[in-house]
Amino acid sequence: IGRKLNIRTESETIEGNLTAVNEATVTLQWKTREPKPIGKGKVTVQKEAIVPYKNIVEAKVMITFN
């Protein structure tokens, strides 16, 4: 928990911080920039994905050097 993961499923690839784990799923959170619903510009949005272990094809710990 607290590490950055890159998880690949059959349909998508998700990169985010691991926030929770249980016996059936993992939970990732990340921030992304999306267009505003009204007007021009973008806004930063906090996203979350709960991925079941059975859907994970590949998972890697992303190492960052500061």
Side-chain angles (χ1 to χ4, degrees):
I1 294 180
R3 299 192 70 182
K4 187 175 231 180
L5 290 181
N6 184 340
I7 293 181
R8 185 168 56 97
T9 64
E10 293 179 1
S11 61
E12 64 183 336
T13 300
I14 304 169
E15 185 171 320
N17 293 322
L18 181 64
T19 57
V21 178
N22 63 29
E23 51 282 331
T25 63
V26 296
T27 304
L28 296 177
Q29 287 185 345
W30 68 95
K31 291 183 182 176
T32 185
R33 302 275 294 164
E34 293 185 350
K36 287 183 179 179
I38 298 174
K40 294 183 179 179
K42 293 187 177 187
V43 11
T44 302
V45 178
Q46 181 79 21
K47 296 263 189 163
E48 181 176 272
I50 298 172
V51 184
Y53 286 126
K54 65 180 181 175
N55 294 349
I56 296 174
V57 175
E58 181 180 40
K60 294 181 182 178
V61 175
M62 305 303 291
I63 299 172
T64 56
F65 299 97
N66 294 329

